[in-house]
Each structure stands twice: as structure tokens, then as C-alpha cells.
Amino acid sequence: MAKSKENKVLSTLWSAGCGSHGGCGCEIYVQDGKVARVEGDKNHPFNQGRLCAKGLAISQYMYHPDRVLYPLKRTGERGEGKWQRITWDEAYDTIEKRLKDIRAKHGAESVIFCQGTGRDIGGPITFLMYAYGSPNWVQVGLAGHACYTPRLGAMFATQGHYSVLDASQMLEKRYDSPEWTPPKYIIIWAQNPAAGCHDGFFGHWIIDCMKRGSKLITIDPRSTWFSTRSEVHLQNRPGTDGAIALGMLNVIINEGIYDKVFVEKWCYGFDELKERVQEYTPEKVEEISWVPKELLIKAARLFAKNKPSAIQWGEPVDAMPAGSVVAQAINHLWAITGNIDNPGGNVIARNSHGVTTYPFSSAELTKLYGADLVKKLNEKRIGANDYPMIKNFRGWVQPDVLIDQLETDKPYPIKGAWIQTSNIIGGQAADPRRHYNAMKKLDFIVCVDLFQNPTSMALADIFLPACTICEKESFRSWWQPLGVSVKAVEGVGEAKSDWEINLDLAKRLATTPIKYNTVRELIDDRLKDGNTNFEKLKAKGCWEYPPEGHNTRPYYRYEKGLLRADGKPGFETPTGKVELYSKKYEEWGLDPLPYYEEPKESSVATPELAKKYPLILTTGRRSPVFFHSEHRMIPWLRELDPFPMCEINDKTAEELGIGNGDWVYIENTHGKIKMKAKVTPTAHPKVVTAPHGWWLPETDGKAPNLFSTWEHNINNLTSMGNQGKSGFGGTDYRSGLCRVFKINGGKE
Amino acid sequence: MPRNGLLIQQDWCTGCHACEVACKQEHNFSGGMVGIKVDEVVSTGPDKVYVDFMPYTTRFCDLCAERTKAGEQPACVKHCQATCITYGTVAELAILMDKQPRSSIFAPK
């Protein structure tokens, strides 16, 4: 290719249409108005020139023949796959009329605004929703809201702010920053960091730390690349992570190897925590979790005695029974060892420069939209009045309450859905059939996406084509740095950016006038908090770190009065300390101290059921080349991970007559789905691990097939209604029961 | 002309497959054609199960001749998320390799 004719555009990746949560700096090479290729930007501190498989495949994604490039309206029945191209004007007119009609008849709250995983979409979707007047921002079907929000809520309650493993990502000089030091030990808790940028954390930063001396402790039912390189591997029974955290707290407290100075000065409720953890002896934890007590003790000692050390945790923590409680207990581990906001510990992570793109807290929602609006909207937000933690932390709907309301119309009916870059049926929803049946009956549904998927095919009345990251302007402030995404080319076909679509419609639907004429005005207004604007950031190479002394820059901010709204030293909690005994949990009617809860279905809780379904099913195994249910149609990526593939232990497989590569059914009380078996000693003999989000875009998209989602989506074996007492966590995504058997001699 | 190659520190390869897609993008390869591949290597020791990954070049690797002529790194080297691939002359790489655990040099051309 004639690269000399290419024009290079620097940008930040953070969107559907590239991949995950990360904020990689990229070089977009443009030739004749088209993106020829995308590479990593060596000068960007986030990824330092590197890029994952998904980022490198953007051009195939953008110019894929199946990408939807024009607004469509449904002409047949839902699911019939009959679509007609329409103009944006017609699409907007229809949406305006239908949504205004619903609001007039049933109230704005009867339209739900549905997003998938959080990339830049949380910004535009809340913007449109509050303009329209609905309080119902939701990740439909995400049982127990089990993706990061439980962990965020636990950290918010315990320490006032969020924290993440410090891999120097808060500093522009990264590993060369003189104030940074690598963690001595990293606990990798229920995650494969190499598979992506989980929760905005570039997974390979762990490898960078390892090269600089960090040692590993891994907590994972599977043997992994990380457990291979770990000093200690706690190979636990899925669902028992809470017991492990409590057991480690027991060891650290009873052996007196916690940070006494930090606990004395900065923690509240230590004595109560000490009393609580007495019941979680290493012996008891071994009985619960399968983890030999010697290994538990060793892990606890290595972590506590080697400061700084840090914890990198994964989504399974959220999905545990009582997910927000498990997260609280793990938070206490880094708290009592003084590993908060210290170099190489769990550094406090705040939105860069105080800029909000995607509201991470109730405070940010209030800042953007005003206390009156947020208070008013809370009155009818689904689940808010059932769960004080849901009500007081962020602005989400509780998804398990939503599905009941969709089915019963109580306390009020849901009539419409705005679904933006979210594949509910083929992706996040537990019990997708139940959601399909409940949502089919809605009066009006809009899907905004880039490709048809099981959800848009099954439900959409209007389909609006969205841009990829290379075709739009956006901005990112998820921890550090503050960044902008630059439009390298015009929208392919007639695609528009999510921000543009939502601003256009907000102008039509808002009850009070929208003050922005253009998306650029909106972005610049939000960037004002950082004393900058889009053009300034673009001229700097698309990113900037906050200045020295800024409250979004580390370290030891609790000593300097940089965390609390009142400017006093300490943490932004009722007591000003890290609350080992949580005043907020207490206020919300929850146990202020952490405890262990057994999965609802397990060999312990339901031994009879476990006889019929003797294996533990843990879902959501990540692929490094896909992001959730995205990317299955991208040839460069699909070649690398062509089949839905579950992992089963070699000896277990032999007993079941299953060979490597055989097609199998995974079955439980909810039904059965098909996957190929990867027979491997890396799997625990009693655990089957399955990837999520599988559908086959190459098969018939029309109902009932819906791209084979009923055949291959593992979530068909999961259920709603198991939420924890806080409303967060308590799902069977990670700890269900199943049996596995070969199909037709192993052939499909 | 000295012979060039890639030093691969396979102990660090995490199996993320970025090198493979970087290669496909650079050469616009399709249909499974690729200049570098990564395989999972699982081995069972007396104490535990080990998971490693092994990147290796194929006959389609041209060491990104066009890029290296322009002074850039090969696409796989630049994008490797674990930064475990080094480009250079075989002689230079052999010196580097002397100090590396579990590593290989590939001289595909």
C-alpha cells in the first residue's frame, strides 16, 4: 500500500466500534477519506504504542459489509427481519412523536434507557434520558447489576472514593515517575488481565509491573498464565471469594501484621471488624473454599508484610452472592495494610481534572443535572425505593426489579425502550428468553448500534446507525489522563455519533431548552472543569494529566485535605476515615461489616440438585479478541477464536467420554446450550468455564433463530431474582450448577 | 547484509494475539494467512499446571520490510502488549538472548 499518501490523525480509543474500556492513544491513518489502518501511539502514556487485537482490527469493523449504514424502520413483525431504509428526518420525527406520546400518556418514566457495558455511552445516554425526563437508566438484565458498580458502591461507602492498582497510570511519566514504585505483590483476584482493559485498566500494565519486580498471588478456579507465574495460587471454589477475603483478614489481624499506624489514624471500626473475622478461621475458609489453609495463610502474610502491595480484582467479585459485601471485604484488605493512595498500592482514582463524561456517582449526576432533578427522578427510578444503596449510589435502575416490573406493569407499566449499543438478549442479560418475552410487548423500541444483533433484530422498531470511534468526537476522563477522540473521517454511510444522535433528539424531546447547539459546545462545556477545551487537548496529542497538587492526582491525598468536599484531611466518609464498619451500609439497612454468603445453588446449599448437576458452571470467561458480544463478525478476530468453547478438566472429560473439540451440551435447570469442549488440565475437575456473549452473525438473524443466540449464549443457563440484600451482586453468572454431555458423538 | 530476525521472550507472551492482528492489518492478509502465530502451551508439572504461550513466525513473515526500511518497528514488535518481541540483526539478538529466560530467535527471511 502507498503509505506515503496517508494522513495521520491522533486520537483516543473508547467506544463501541473498537473495543473495550481502555483509553488507548492511537494513530489513525487516513487515505482518500478512508481509514487505512490504526496503530498505537508511542507517545501516549496509557498504552505506550501498544494496541490490542480489537483496536488493530478497527478498519475491518468500520468497512464490514454487514455494518448498518442508514436509519432503518421495521416493516414486518418484530423479528421478521424486514427493514426499510429511511432518512434521518423520518427517523427523528417518528421517535419524537412516539416518545412524546408515551410521555403524555404514561409519564417519561415509562421509557427505559438501556446501555450495555460502559464506554463513552454512559455520557450521551444519561444526557438524553434526563432531557426527556426519565429516571430509568439501566443495563437491562445485568443480574445484581454485577459489573463494576457493586465494587464502586462498596468503595464509595468504605473509603469515599474508588481505587485501583497503581501501575503508575496516574502519572504522565509512567514507570519513570520518581514518586512511583511498583507493587511488591499483586493479588490478581478473579480476572485474566491479559484479555483486555477491564474497568479501564490496561491489563498488560500488570506485565509491566512484573518486569519491574512485582510478584504475584492469583485467586482463580482455573490455572492461568498468571497462576503459572504466581508464588501462591488459591484455586478456589467459584462463589467463595468472600470467605477467602475474610480468611485473609483473619490472618492479617490475628497475626498483627496490619499497618497499625494507618489503622489507628485513618480507619474506623477496626475492633468490630476484628471481632467479625474471628469466625472465618483458615480452617473454616478451607472447608468453604477448597483452598488449603496453608496457602491462604501464606498469601495473607506475603500481601501484608510486603508494602506496597496491591489488588487487581475482576467482575466475578460483583457477581458473588452479596457482591457488594465481598467487594467491601477485599477493600478492607488493602485498607488495613495501608495500601490506599500510596505509590504501588491501590491508588485513589478520580475522574481526570474533575471532568465528567460518564457519571460514576450520585455527586456527578447532581453536578451535571442539578439536585432537584436527581431527587425528582429518584422518586420513580426502578428499584431505588426497594434498595437504599441503589437509591443513594449512582443513578441506575436495579435490573432484577426491572424484569418483574416489565412483566407485571407494577408499580407502573414500561412502554418504550431506547437501547443504545447494547445487546441485551445476546449479551448481558441473565435469562435472555425472559427478557425477550417481556420486551417484545413494549409499544416502541429504538436500537442505536453498528450491526444488527440478536437484540436489534428481535426488538427494534427503528434502527439508528452509530459511528465507530474513528468517525466521531468524544472525550474521556475515566481516571487518567483526560483525553479526546478526534474525528478522523466522516461517518461511514450516514452513521452519526452517539453524542450527535442524543443531542439532536434531546433538543426535540427536552422539557427545558438544551443550551448546546453542537456536540463540540457540549464537550467544551464539560472540559471547562479541567480548564481546557477540545482543540487545546487535540493540539497536545489528545491527552493531558492534571497539574501537581490537583485533587485528581496522587498520592496520600487523605493527609493533604484533597479528598473531602470540606477540604479537611481524611476520607470522604461520614467519619472521615476508612470505614471498616460502614456507617453508610448501616444507614442503608445493611450489615455494616462483611460476611460470607453461600451461592444459592451449590453442593452445600442444594446437595440434591448438585447430584443431578454435579459440575459448577462459571460464565463470562473473557476472550482477548472479543469484547463481550461484539466482534464475532470481524474476520481477523473470529479466525483467532472461531467457536464458543467451554473449558473442562481432562480427567472429568474422560469420565464423561468427551474428547477435545467435541460439541457438548451444557445443561442445568434453566435449559441447555451448545459449545465445543476444550479439554484441558487448566480447568478444575469440578468446574466448567464458559465464555459469554456468543451468537453467530453468519446464521439466520430472523426470529426464532436470532443469530443462534438461544443455542450458544451461556446466559440462557442463568437467572434473575437472586440479588443480594443491597440490590447488588448475588447472581449465578459465576457459580451455577450444570452437567455436560456430548452431542451426537461430538458432532454439531 | 546482516541477517535480521525477531527475538521472542516467550516467557512474557500472554497470548493476547495482538501480534497476529497487527501482522494481518499491516499486510492486509486474509483467510487465515498470517506472518506470526501464537499457540497455547499447557504442561503439567509435579506441583502445578503451567500455562505458556509460544509465538512463532510463519513463511509469510517478511519482517515488515516496508516498515523497517522507513525506520519503524515491525507491526508485531510495536504492538505486542507484553513487549516481548525485539527486532534486530541475528547477531545483536543472540547477545540479548544470552541474558533472557525461555526465548527464541526467528530468522524468517
Side-chain angles (χ1 to χ4, degrees):
Chain A
M1 63 185 95
K3 290 183 178 172
S4 55
K5 289 182 190 158
E6 289 174 350
N7 175 35
K8 180 168 87 175
V9 179
L10 296 181
S11 190
T12 308
L13 301 179
W14 187 45
S15 170
C18 64
S20 55
H21 299 303
C24 288
C26 67
E27 302 165 340
I28 304 171
Y29 290 89
V30 179
Q31 193 170 4
D32 302 327
K34 281 185 79 172
V35 171
R37 66 204 159 94
V38 175
E39 298 204 4
D41 174 5
K42 277 178 285 204
N43 298 316
H44 200 294
F46 192 90
N47 50 317
Q48 300 178 307
R50 299 169 279 186
L51 207 56
C52 72
K54 293 161 288 214
L56 291 160
I58 287 178
S59 63
Q60 259 195 354
Y61 193 111
M62 289 177 70
Y63 303 112
H64 194 287
D66 295 344
R67 186 172 159 194
V68 180
L69 301 177
Y70 308 98
L72 302 174
K73 75 172 173 191
R74 178 172 62 77
T75 55
E77 294 299 308
R78 281 197 179 133
E80 260 194 326
K82 292 183 180 164
W83 304 95
Q84 182 191 328
R85 178 177 166 180
I86 55 172
T87 64
W88 276 97
D89 282 341
E90 184 184 343
Y92 281 170
D93 289 345
T94 306
I95 294 165
E96 181 182 351
K97 181 176 183 313
R98 299 293 304 270
L99 291 182
K100 280 183 173 169
D101 284 352
I102 292 175
R103 184 168 61 191
K105 275 191 208 152
H106 306 281
E109 66 276 7
S110 62
V111 179
I112 52 175
F113 287 75
C114 320
Q115 74 167 70
T117 187
R119 294 171 290 193
D120 65 344
I121 198 64
I125 204 163
T126 43
F127 181 78
L128 175 62
M129 180 180 76
Y130 293 132
Y132 178 69
S134 171
N136 289 324
W137 178 29
V138 60
Q139 295 182 289
V140 179
L142 184 64
H145 210 164
C147 191
Y148 207 30
T149 305
R151 278 174 288 158
L152 291 175
M155 291 190 284
F156 169 75
T158 303
Q159 54 181 47
H161 288 94
Y162 316 133
S163 50
V164 297
L165 181 146
D166 181 22
S168 79
Q169 69 270 38
M170 305 299 172
L171 303 163
E172 57 267 63
K173 288 185 189 154
R174 293 301 314 263
Y175 305 110
D176 296 328
S177 308
E179 62 267 60
W180 181 75
T181 186
K184 288 197 176 115
Y185 276 84
I186 293 173
I187 299 184
I188 297 179
W189 202 309
Q191 189 179 72
N192 172 15
C197 290
H198 310 283
D199 315 320
F201 185 97
F202 185 84
H204 283 76
W205 291 338
I206 301 278
I207 283 81
D208 298 344
C209 289
M210 290 166 70
K211 289 183 178 179
R212 288 161 178 82
S214 298
K215 292 178 175 151
L216 301 182
I217 296 163
T218 297
I219 303 173
D220 197 316
R222 302 191 299 159
S223 294
T224 65
W225 187 90
F226 292 94
S227 72
T228 296
R229 284 150 185 81
S230 292
E231 279 192 29
V232 187
H233 177 201
L234 308 184
Q235 196 169 15
N236 62 310
R237 176 162 71 96
T240 63
D241 300 54
I244 291 171
L246 288 156
M248 288 176 73
L249 287 166
N250 175 298
V251 172
I252 292 168
I253 290 173
N254 287 344
E255 294 192 1
I257 51 176
Y258 55 93
D259 183 333
K260 295 189 178 80
V261 175
F262 184 86
V263 167
E264 177 71 22
K265 194 165 179 196
W266 298 111
C267 293
Y268 171 82
F270 180 76
D271 293 339
E272 290 88 341
L273 178 67
K274 182 175 180 176
E275 194 188 330
R276 173 61 60 88
V277 301
Q278 292 314 310
E279 54 188 289
Y280 300 97
T281 60
E283 292 74 18
K284 181 171 173 188
V285 172
E286 174 170 343
E287 201 183 298
I288 295 171
S289 70
W290 301 341
V291 171
K293 64 178 181 183
E294 296 77 18
L295 289 184
L296 181 90
I297 292 167
K298 188 177 174 189
R301 287 178 183 161
L302 286 174
F303 178 70
K305 288 183 176 178
N306 289 282
K307 201 173 166 183
S309 286
I311 299 174
Q312 170 67 12
W313 53 2
E315 180 274 341
V317 170
D318 303 311
M320 294 293 133
S324 55
V325 179
V326 179
Q328 179 194 23
I330 296 173
N331 189 155
H332 290 172
L333 278 170
W334 73 67
I336 65 165
T337 53
N339 283 302
I340 292 189
D341 213 30
N342 57 326
N346 280 73
V347 65
I348 298 267
R350 306 182 73 176
N351 284 343
S352 187
H353 296 68
V355 169
T356 295
T357 47
Y358 174 7
F360 274 111
S361 64
S362 306
E364 284 173 82
L365 282 170
T366 305
K367 187 182 86 178
L368 291 178
Y369 301 105
D372 286 349
L373 179 74
V374 173
K375 186 167 172 285
K376 184 166 159 274
L377 297 179
N378 269 354
E379 289 162 11
K380 290 194 170 167
R381 176 153 56 94
I382 297 163
N385 295 312
D386 305 283
Y387 296 101
M389 187 165 177
I390 301 279
K391 181 170 192 165
N392 290 292
F393 178 66
R394 288 184 96 180
W396 292 106
V397 161
Q398 207 292 337
D400 301 272
V401 180
L402 171 67
I403 184 65
D404 287 342
Q405 183 161 344
L406 279 164
E407 289 170 342
T408 61
D409 292 343
K410 285 179 183 153
Y412 56 84
I414 303 300
K415 293 291 177 184
W418 172 272
I419 302 172
Q420 197 158 17
T421 54
S422 177
N423 178 6
I424 296 164
I425 292 169
Q428 72 199 3
D431 200 344
R433 178 79 70 180
R434 194 174 161 199
H435 286 89
Y436 172 61
N437 289 334
M439 292 188 80
K440 255 192 321 190
K441 62 170 195 177
L442 299 188
D443 290 349
F444 185 60
I445 298 174
V446 182
C447 284
V448 187
D449 221 307
L450 294 97
F451 290 86
Q452 291 281 8
N453 61 57
T455 302
S456 62
M457 203 56 131
L459 297 175
D461 300 316
I462 301 278
F463 186 113
L464 301 179
C467 284
T468 67
I469 194 72
C470 300
E471 304 153 52
K472 70 176 173 186
E473 288 186 352
S474 190
F475 63 120
R476 183 181 194 275
S477 64
W478 191 350
W479 318 152
Q480 301 293 351
L482 183 61
V484 288
S485 301
V486 173
K487 184 177 187 170
V489 295
E490 290 300 317
V492 178
E494 290 182 3
K496 288 181 192 277
S497 86
D498 294 301
W499 271 117
E500 197 181 349
I501 293 166
N502 290 22
L503 177 60
D504 287 346
L505 280 167
K507 286 179 193 166
R508 288 170 175 249
L509 294 167
T511 46
T512 55
I514 298 291
K515 62 178 175 175
Y516 310 114
N517 291 305
T518 63
V519 171
R520 179 65 75 84
E521 281 177 24
L522 182 151
I523 294 174
D524 279 344
D525 190 46
R526 297 268 182 105
L527 292 174
K528 266 186 200 156
D529 286 331
N531 291 316
T532 188
N533 63 37
F534 188 93
E535 286 299 333
K536 277 190 202 166
L537 285 167
K538 185 182 163 190
K540 285 185 162 186
C542 293
W543 57 270
E544 183 183 277
Y545 280 76
E548 291 284 344
H550 195 276
N551 66 14
T552 67
R553 192 181 174 99
Y555 292 101
Y556 301 113
R557 277 162 283 186
Y558 54 91
E559 290 178 347
K560 301 171 186 162
L562 291 173
L563 294 178
R564 291 180 58 85
D566 60 15
K568 288 182 185 162
F571 294 86
E572 186 69 304
T573 58
T575 60
K577 296 186 173 185
V578 176
E579 296 190 350
L580 305 175
Y581 178 101
S582 175
K583 290 283 194 190
K584 286 221 164 79
Y585 276 23
E586 189 172 51
E587 180 193 323
W588 297 337
L590 303 169
D591 190 333
L593 294 162
Y595 55 91
Y596 171 70
E597 195 174 308
E598 179 67 23
K600 274 204 179 136
E601 291 183 356
S602 73
S603 54
V604 177
T606 53
E608 283 307 311
L609 194 68
K611 277 184 198 155
K612 193 169 176 200
Y613 300 106
L615 297 170
I616 299 174
L617 173 63
T618 180
T619 76
R621 192 265 295 156
R622 301 298 195 255
S623 166
V625 301
F626 303 134
F627 189 58
H628 296 304
S629 72
E630 232 176 306
H631 297 117
R632 299 303 188 288
M633 74 294 283
I634 309 301
W636 285 339
L637 302 176
R638 184 73 182 277
E639 282 162 17
L640 292 163
D641 197 351
F643 303 107
M645 205 141 202
C646 65
E647 294 171 15
I648 182 163
N649 176 268
D650 49 351
K651 293 191 178 67
T652 308
E654 196 182 343
E655 284 167 21
L656 296 169
I658 294 166
N660 192 37
D662 282 350
W663 281 98
V664 295
Y665 277 122
I666 308 173
E667 185 188 50
N668 66 12
T669 52
H670 307 294
K672 63 178 194 263
I673 63 113
K674 275 184 193 174
M675 288 204 177
K676 261 178 176 285
K678 178 181 173 179
V679 172
T680 171
T682 61
H684 189 283
K686 290 185 178 167
V687 180
V688 175
T689 306
H692 65 303
W694 264 97
W695 54 291
L696 303 178
E698 66 273 21
T699 63
D700 186 10
K702 296 191 293 291
N705 189 57
L706 296 175
F707 301 110
S708 308
T709 188
W710 309 118
E711 261 191 310
H712 297 298
N713 177 3
I714 193 71
N715 279 6
N716 288 303
L717 305 190
T718 62
S719 58
M720 300 294 289
N722 309 303
Q723 66 269 33
K725 290 189 184 79
S726 65
F728 289 121
T731 76
D732 47 17
Y733 287 127
R734 297 289 181 172
S735 50
L737 295 173
C738 73
R739 70 182 187 113
V740 178
F741 57 99
K742 191 155 79 172
I743 308 171
N744 298 332
K747 297 191 179 66
E748 194 177 10
Chain B
M1 279 283 282
R3 194 162 181 212
N4 291 315
L6 300 174
L7 169 65
I8 294 180
Q9 300 165 246
Q10 70 251 28
D11 206 34
W12 288 114
C13 174
T14 64
C16 79
H17 301 288
C19 57
E20 291 169 77
V21 182
C23 179
K24 291 176 193 183
Q25 178 182 229
E26 177 64 23
H27 298 90
N28 203 20
F29 283 149
S30 60
M33 202 167 146
V34 69
I36 188 165
K37 291 186 85 159
V38 178
D39 282 351
E40 186 187 48
V41 181
V42 174
S43 43
T44 306
D47 54 337
K48 67 199 239 183
V49 176
Y50 295 84
V51 180
D52 297 298
F53 293 93
M54 183 68 217
Y56 53 93
T57 58
T58 75
R59 61 177 57 246
F60 300 114
C61 173
D62 68 348
L63 290 168
C64 286
E66 199 183 337
R67 292 174 71 96
T68 52
K69 208 166 90 186
E72 290 171 58
Q73 292 288 312
C76 62
V77 175
K78 177 179 176 184
H79 292 106
C80 172
Q81 294 190 91
T83 51
C84 70
I85 316 177
T86 311
Y87 170 75
T89 67
V90 170
E92 290 163 351
L93 297 178
I95 294 167
L96 283 175
M97 185 177 177
D98 201 37
K99 296 194 175 106
Q100 296 296 342
R102 286 185 286 279
S103 48
S104 325
I105 293 174
F106 291 89
K109 291 298 279 183

